[in-house]
Amino acid sequence: MVNLLDFDAESLTAWFAQLGERPFRARQVLRWMHRFGVDDFAQMTDVAKSLRAKLAETAEIRGPVSVRDASAADGTRKWLLGVDGEVGNAIETVFIPEANRGTLCISSQVGCALECSFCSTGKQGFNRNLKTAEIIGQLWHANRMLGAVKQPGIDDSGERVISNVVMMGMGEPLANFDNVVAALKLMLDDNAYGLSRRRVTVSTAGLVPAMDRLRESVPVALAVSLHAPTDALRDQLVPINRKYPLRELMAACRRYLENAPRDFITFEYVLLAGVNDSDADARALLELTRKIPCKFNLIPFNPFPGSDYRRPTAERVRHFQEILMNAEVVATVRKTRGGDIDAACGQLAGQVRDKSRRLASVPLQPMHNVQSVALETYP
Ligand code: SAH
């Protein structure tokens, strides 16, 4: 069975062509699946009955399986979604409602291979890339669960429940390039989710060649996890820096913005007490990013079991922010919202069966074993 959630518009059209069907049929089915959240061909009333029967024989629309659905008091919601029907393999998706927008934070891999020293997902090890269906399936599923699917024939110009998507969940999106790009195309497609490209953000630890390819394929907003102003420190915190050091990373950021004068890079910067949060660090950051139109998003470290880092004091965070702001660089602190479902940045653990077994000794972090934890809002 072919899962039609695996196709973006172009590949669905090609698949329909093989069936001898015209492109507008693919568009119709795309709308039913993504705009209207339908998973049953019988409901596709404007599609010819014969085609519906043919589709039902060869294809399916199979969304993710929700293993757990946790709601925080403030409306934030986190889904644990099963992968491969295997116990011990699951990813996480988080919905963060705010007054003027709703943000869905989605995952791109089961675990992550980059091993950033302060990230819980990194400690879990890596299992595999998510398929396109599993990436877009998170949005498809959240839309349905939040009652946000559109109704055929009804004016849908009102506010969107999910207005923004950030690829800031588990995994390194640019390490799963093709599947992530297909999912991004669906997010922007008017027959699917129709999101503005500025409201879809890919966050990367800095895979330089893939940053260039992303700009050419689907130029969405880009966030770069910087976390350190020098190579010596960044090599420790974000090991991929040894392959793509700061000079190359900064050059790639500039290239990303070359043809988009109104865009900017968001630099994410996790603040680790006594490690990267000094005044000198802030000033070095300003120097490093001087030539790049950018904003900073400061993320006070979110602890997780087994981590040695500490979160700086609120005063230290404010002071760091002030140094950036005094240089007229926009710097926001990712806000903490009362939460109780362990959904903060760097805490998305899911359940990963580490294939590399490097980190087999690190215990999994089950969702019922959750302390009261901060949730963030995204820029
Ligand atoms: N792999 C991508 C996206 C995933 S993480 C990336 O590196 O950008 C999303 C953001 O959360 C990244 O900026 C990441 O560095 C940050 N993060 C990871 N662990 C964290 C923690 N424990 N506390 C705060 N932020 C963290």
Side-chain angles (χ1 to χ4, degrees), residues 92-114:
E92 297 188 324
T93 303
V94 181
F95 175 66
I96 307 140
E98 291 173 89
N100 53 353
R101 70 187 154 206
T103 303
L104 193 70
C105 179
I106 71 185
S107 296
S108 55
Q109 298 180 312
V110 187
C112 186
L114 295 188

Side-chain angles (χ1 to χ4, degrees), residues 21-280:
E21 295 291 340
R22 311 238 304 279
F24 86 97
R25 291 295 180 198
R27 281 197 296 277
Q28 280 181 314
V29 170
L30 207 65
R31 289 164 73 92
W32 280 109
M33 287 195 287
H34 294 290
R35 282 174 71 89
F36 309 140
V38 160
D39 59 1
D40 177 3
F41 296 113
Q43 281 177 265
M44 302 184 176
T45 46
D46 60 0
V47 177
K49 268 208 170 135
S50 55
L51 174 56
R52 280 189 255 161
K54 191 154 59 166
L55 287 172
E57 269 170 32
T58 49
E60 59 182 347
I61 300 166
R62 186 159 39 84
V65 177
S66 182
V67 178
R68 207 167 289 140
D69 178 345
S71 296
D74 63 4
T76 300
R77 223 163 135 178
K78 181 170 86 165
W79 293 278
L80 183 70
L81 303 174
V83 174
D84 301 329
E86 217 184 307
V87 180
N89 241 3
I91 52 145
E92 297 188 324
T93 303
V94 181
F95 175 66
I96 307 140
E98 291 173 89
N100 53 353
R101 70 187 154 206
T103 303
L104 193 70
C105 179
I106 71 185
S107 296
S108 55
Q109 298 180 312
V110 187
C112 186
L114 295 188
E115 297 191 81
C116 297
S117 61
F118 49 84
C119 177
S120 163
T121 305
K123 300 278 180 214
Q124 303 266 327
F126 175 73
N127 184 279
R128 69 165 174 84
N129 282 331
L130 292 178
K131 297 175 203 140
T132 300
E134 294 166 327
I135 300 169
I136 201 64
Q138 297 169 62
L139 179 52
W140 183 85
H141 179 75
N143 245 338
R144 283 165 53 115
M145 297 304 284
L146 295 165
V149 292
K150 315 265 188 232
Q151 298 301 320
I154 292 180
D155 173 43
D156 59 10
S157 52
E159 249 174 54
R160 291 160 191 277
V161 178
I162 298 174
S163 58
N164 296 53
V165 172
V166 295
M167 303 236 34
M168 295 184 184
M170 297 168 67
E172 165 53 46
L174 294 188
N176 182 12
F177 191 84
D178 292 345
N179 296 342
V180 164
V181 162
L184 292 170
K185 286 185 173 165
L186 284 168
M187 291 176 204
L188 306 192
D189 197 309
D190 282 335
N191 289 311
Y193 300 93
L195 295 174
S196 133
R197 73 171 187 89
R198 290 197 170 78
R199 288 171 172 270
V200 174
T201 301
V202 165
S203 178
T204 181
L207 270 57
V208 164
M211 289 164 66
D212 289 322
R213 289 172 64 206
L214 182 68
R215 180 189 54 157
E216 286 151 22
S217 313
V218 47
V220 294
L222 187 65
V224 172
S225 292
L226 195 52
H227 306 326
T230 63
D231 281 320
L233 181 56
R234 197 165 190 269
D235 282 350
Q236 300 304 312
L237 302 179
V238 185
I240 194 74
N241 193 69
R242 295 170 206 162
K243 193 160 181 195
Y244 305 114
L246 286 171
R247 237 181 92 90
E248 287 177 34
L249 181 58
M250 293 303 113
C253 289
R254 275 203 302 278
R255 286 197 297 277
Y256 198 83
L257 301 176
E258 237 161 36
N259 303 319
R262 285 171 55 220
D263 287 9
F264 55 87
I265 302 286
T266 299
F267 286 118
E268 295 163 280
Y269 195 91
V270 60
L271 285 164
L272 309 167
V275 175
N276 67 354
D277 65 341
S278 72
D279 291 2

Side-chain angles (χ1 to χ4, degrees), residues 307-320:
S307 65
D308 293 331
Y309 294 110
R310 285 172 302 113
R311 178 186 270 241
T313 63
E315 206 197 325
R316 178 89 300 261
V317 172
R318 203 178 40 199
H319 198 70
F320 196 97

